[in-house]
Amino acid sequence: MALPDFSAARVLVVGDVMLDRYWFGDVTRISPVAPVPVVHIQNAEERLGGAANVARGAAALGAQVTLLAVVGIDEPARSLASLLKQAKINAVLREDKNLHTTVKLRVISRQQQLLRLDFEMLPSQDVLLSKLSDFEKLLQDTDVVVMSDYGKGALAQIERMIALCNTAGKPALVDPKGSDFARYRNATILTPNKSEFKVVVGSWQSEAEMSAKAEALRASLDLQSLLVTRSEEGMTLYRDRDIFNVPAQAREVYDVSGAGDTVIATLAVMLASGADIVDAVKLANRAASIVVGKLGTAVVERLELMGKN
């Protein structure tokens, strides 16, 4: 499939941002005072996480990307701003003086994650309301909106945001979190993974039963499309009385963290470029198959999708 020119695609990403930190080291002994490995840290990296990784993924494909988010007034926020600038993302960061910017710290040895430490808290309602005002202004100059929900509180007004998208005629793509999918009602596309989908609809015994549950959920939430990502089973797109399956592309899985970010970022860029939903899902599936072969939160470049890298 020939790729569209993504340079004119305008994508607005809003949601929970975080700084992903990686500490790499070797384990050669067990602590003498506790039964835990001692890691000699030799290298460290920082990467964009959460909604910021979605924005990075869309920018890596060549789109014009704006990220709207809430951060604290702290060192992780400054690191995020620097990384966003490097990725050529237009960052609109609302500062909350009482908020600690979300950080996920991973300790890795021999390409295996030993430990993850999370530092997080909820933003204030006043800052979230000011962010909603920014959202209304930014909406006018975008083609597609991505709402990346990691359950950290940045999308407390998501119902209002979806309504504003619908009024403005802008597709609203939502990567959900938790068991309350009712808050995503009237979204254009919802992209749960299989585990998230199962939490909401329950288990199933056959493909037919899964499809029935998916269609019931899609209809009850008034979604145009429901895309369930299914790991080794690929992806399934549900539309009104229509089901489209995309098989997984055979590839060694190295790390699935951030795969959902890649899927929704690719969907957004494709739709913003005028592609139809089926072609967008096909490319998102290809992008996911590439990114799971990389360590940690990573992105896929346009040349990789074209098979030239």
Side-chain angles (χ1 to χ4, degrees):
M1 178 177 61
L3 297 186
D5 178 6
F6 295 145
S7 62
R10 301 173 302 171
V11 177
L12 171 61
V13 180
V14 58
D16 301 295
V17 298
M18 56 198 71
L19 182 65
D20 283 351
R21 284 182 163 147
Y22 296 83
W23 288 0
F24 300 92
D26 289 334
V27 176
T28 58
R29 63 191 179 96
I30 300 298
S31 170
V33 297
V36 295
V38 176
V39 186
H40 177 211
I41 300 300
Q42 298 171 321
N43 188 29
E45 288 184 16
E46 292 185 337
R47 302 180 189 178
L48 297 170
N53 190 50
V54 176
R56 178 184 170 219
L61 293 176
Q64 302 172 35
V65 183
T66 297
L67 172 67
L68 174 61
V70 177
V71 297
I73 305 177
D74 51 19
E75 180 270 333
R78 292 190 291 272
S79 293
L80 274 171
S82 177
L83 290 170
L84 289 165
K85 184 177 180 180
Q86 291 175 34
K88 299 181 180 179
I89 295 166
N90 175 33
V92 182
L93 302 178
R94 276 290 182 178
E95 295 180 335
D96 184 342
K97 64 181 181 180
N98 298 314
L99 178 70
H100 296 299
T101 303
T102 298
V103 174
K104 291 185 178 181
L105 171 60
R106 296 170 174 87
V107 180
I108 297 173
S109 178
R110 298 182 182 180
Q111 301 179 342
Q112 295 294 320
Q113 187 174 156
L114 302 179
L115 179 70
R116 193 182 90 182
L117 304 174
D118 289 3
F119 306 84
E120 61 189 43
M121 61 188 296
L122 297 177
S124 69
Q125 290 301 311
D126 289 343
V127 173
L128 291 175
L129 287 173
S130 66
K131 183 167 72 77
L132 184 59
S133 176
D134 290 330
F135 180 81
E136 292 189 67
K137 296 174 184 176
L138 294 169
L139 189 58
Q140 307 310 312
D141 295 316
T142 193
D143 299 311
V144 170
V145 178
V146 175
M147 301 175 191
S148 180
D149 193 352
Y150 272 78
K152 311 302 181 187
L155 290 175
Q157 285 96 17
I158 193 169
E159 295 97 331
R160 177 61 177 156
M161 290 178 173
I162 292 173
L164 288 169
C165 287
N166 290 334
T167 299
K170 311 288 186 176
L173 282 58
V174 180
D175 191 359
K177 190 74 172 181
S179 59
D180 181 19
F181 278 18
R183 60 200 299 263
Y184 309 127
R185 186 180 306 278
N186 296 316
T188 308
I189 304 173
L190 195 65
T191 64
N193 61 38
K194 184 170 65 173
S195 297
E196 293 164 339
F197 178 68
K198 186 175 290 186
V199 167
V200 174
V201 305
S203 59
W204 54 87
Q205 300 300 318
S206 66
E207 193 72 17
E209 186 179 1
M210 177 184 176
S211 296
K213 288 177 177 288
E215 176 54 27
L217 178 65
R218 189 201 63 77
S220 69
L221 297 180
D222 293 317
L223 307 172
Q224 288 187 24
S225 301
L226 173 67
L227 177 66
V228 181
T229 57
R230 307 172 63 181
S231 301
E232 71 279 358
E233 298 174 315
M235 303 179 184
T236 305
L237 175 69
Y238 300 93
R239 294 178 291 175
D240 187 18
R241 309 297 178 185
D242 181 39
I243 301 173
F244 179 71
N245 288 298
V246 186
Q249 298 186 15
R251 181 178 291 267
E252 181 179 358
V253 176
Y254 192 48
D255 191 337
V256 298
S257 60
D261 296 342
T262 296
V263 168
I264 202 164
T266 307
L267 285 175
V269 173
M270 282 288 282
L271 294 176
S273 301
D276 66 45
I277 183 62
V278 170
D279 283 342
V281 168
K282 289 178 181 177
L283 195 68
N285 185 58
R286 187 192 306 174
S289 75
I290 295 171
V291 81
V292 296
K294 302 181 179 184
L295 176 64
T297 47
V299 296
V300 177
E301 304 284 344
R302 180 183 175 91
L303 289 178
E304 291 178 286
L305 286 176
M306 298 172 66
K308 295 182 179 181
N309 192 7

